[in-house]
Amino acid sequence: MSRASFGFFLRGAREAQRISLRRAAKAARISPTYLSDVELDRCVPSTHVARRLADAIGLDVVEVLARRALAAAPQTLDQARETVRREEGL
């Protein structure tokens, strides 16, 4: 797992908030196994799930979606944030 990865970002944010994997998964309405796979960069969640994870962990949705976009297509974080704001109307 790279320090620049989506999973590393998400896990670090969750742990900084002292939220267990099970609690975050339950709040986001996903399985703990799926959240673990996301945090280990085995998969990239849909936009809908990424929004629920942002809410569950108390993160800014633009930041989470921008980090998710980085995982899907190479670009800068600033470009990803702008794309998210434009496409999501945020």
Side-chain angles (χ1 to χ4, degrees):
M1 174 169 39
S2 161
R3 288 183 178 223
S5 76
F6 179 71
F8 185 86
F9 163 75
L10 197 65
R11 183 176 182 178
R14 178 182 59 74
E15 289 178 344
Q17 296 290 330
R18 294 187 165 174
I19 300 171
S20 72
L21 186 134
R22 288 183 186 272
R23 189 169 131 210
K26 183 176 182 178
R29 298 185 315 273
I30 59 175
S31 73
T33 301
Y34 182 68
L35 178 52
S36 178
D37 285 346
V38 169
E39 289 184 353
L40 293 172
D41 292 315
R42 293 182 182 143
C43 59
V44 177
S46 68
T47 300
H48 185 71
V49 170
R51 282 175 171 269
R52 292 195 322 245
L53 285 166
D55 289 341
I57 299 172
L59 297 172
D60 177 66
V61 71
V62 170
E63 189 67 19
V64 171
L65 293 176
R67 301 274 182 154
R68 180 192 165 276
L70 279 175
Q75 56 190 320
T76 68
L77 184 54
D78 286 337
Q79 289 170 327
R81 286 182 184 126
E82 284 305 310
T83 300
V84 166
R85 286 186 180 105
R86 185 178 60 251
E87 291 178 359
E88 299 293 326
L90 301 170

